[in-house]
Amino acid sequence: MADEVKITNEKSVKNSNNSHLSKKDINRAWFRWWLLAETSNNFERMQGVSWAAAIGPTLKKLYKDPDELKDALKRNTVFFNTEGIWGGLIMGSTIALEEQKSKNPEMDGELITSYKTGLMGPVAGLGDTIDWSTFYTLVLAGASAVAATGSWLAALIVAAAGIAMYFEGLFFTRIGYSQGRKSILSILRSGRIGQALEWANILALMMIGSMTLDCIIKVTTQKM
């Protein structure tokens, strides 16, 4: 009887510490972040509340003890501000760190806070430059040119860009989780980022040049 009780208790402990996350958990965290990233902006915490709301269900699965869950929510509600799509890298790797802490309570929670705070600036710089200043600007310019002709395809172009950026962030979140904090450091240290920025700038200049030439031709034709 005592052996049966012991086995039952061991199973209970094992189940209570079973914090393995599924692919669905990671996808859900990204989906919530995609919806909420810019909804809680304020001078005190910026995106902090949205971040906690996005990662909250994952933390509930990781931390069964109410006090541990409370501490996890507190450190994920502090000031945070980054570009939402590339912020998926931080989201995924933060979840990986929280999973490690749930299995190793002696791990310092301040490490996770410092990690997020240290990376939010560099990641925001990448996301704002590559996605919003280059990719999305070119998409809007192209869609505007199409819209000027009266075509409804312009709306589809913008919608397709939004869908593509959603899956871009989902990809970043999955990579961040699978590779942990090493993923962002390897990206920041890689020369591929510089190459991507260079090609983006070349593409932007080509688009601007093409649009300028098109305007000159139209103006010249109208005068003639």
Side-chain angles (χ1 to χ4, degrees):
M1 184 68 178
D3 291 336
E4 292 179 358
V5 173
K6 182 178 180 180
I7 293 174
T8 302
N9 290 337
E10 288 177 352
K11 289 182 178 179
S12 299
V13 171
K14 184 178 180 180
N15 291 336
S16 64
N17 293 329
N18 183 18
S19 58
H20 179 69
L21 298 175
S22 66
K23 190 175 182 179
K24 183 178 179 181
D25 295 319
I26 307 305
N27 293 349
R28 183 184 184 187
W30 161 248
F31 179 70
R32 291 170 66 90
W33 173 242
W34 172 262
L35 292 178
L36 302 172
E38 304 295 341
T39 60
S40 71
N41 282 351
N42 60 79
F43 290 111
E44 181 183 2
R45 299 177 187 270
M46 293 302 289
Q47 298 171 328
V49 176
S50 294
W51 180 271
I55 202 174
T58 306
L59 296 178
K60 288 181 180 179
K61 186 171 183 178
L62 291 175
Y63 298 102
K64 306 302 181 182
D65 182 83
D67 291 332
E68 292 182 351
L69 176 59
K70 185 187 299 183
D71 291 338
L73 287 172
K74 283 183 177 179
R75 66 174 165 266
N76 281 284
T77 315
V78 298
F79 181 93
F80 184 78
N81 189 37
T82 194
E83 194 277 319
I85 298 171
W86 283 69
L89 284 169
I90 306 179
M91 171 66 73
S93 51
T94 298
I95 291 174
L97 288 174
E98 290 288 359
E99 188 174 23
Q100 291 180 25
K101 178 162 176 55
S102 69
K103 297 175 181 178
N104 303 284
E106 67 276 5
M107 177 179 169
D108 189 2
E110 289 298 320
L111 170 65
I112 301 176
T113 303
S114 299
Y115 172 77
K116 287 169 47 190
T117 304
L119 286 175
M120 64 183 186
V123 169
L126 289 174
D128 289 337
T129 302
I130 295 176
D131 279 4
W132 297 108
S133 297
T134 304
F135 172 72
Y136 202 63
T137 300
L138 294 177
V139 169
L140 291 180
S144 298
V146 174
T149 65
S151 175
W152 54 271
L153 291 176
L156 291 183
I157 294 174
V158 176
I163 294 173
M165 293 170 83
Y166 172 85
F167 284 102
E168 177 190 6
L170 178 60
F171 171 76
F172 285 150
T173 305
R174 290 177 178 175
I175 288 294
Y177 174 71
S178 62
Q179 299 297 322
R181 56 180 177 175
K182 294 181 181 179
S183 61
I184 301 182
L185 296 178
S186 63
I187 289 175
L188 293 176
R189 292 171 181 170
S190 174
R192 295 178 181 177
I193 290 297
Q195 294 175 359
L197 290 174
E198 183 177 356
W199 280 104
N201 289 330
I202 293 173
L203 179 60
L205 291 173
M206 289 175 60
M207 289 290 293
I208 293 172
S210 299
M211 293 176 64
T212 302
L213 178 61
D214 182 62
C215 292
I216 292 174
I217 293 174
K218 286 182 179 179
V219 171
T220 304
T221 303
Q222 290 176 356
K223 288 183 177 181
M224 292 177 62

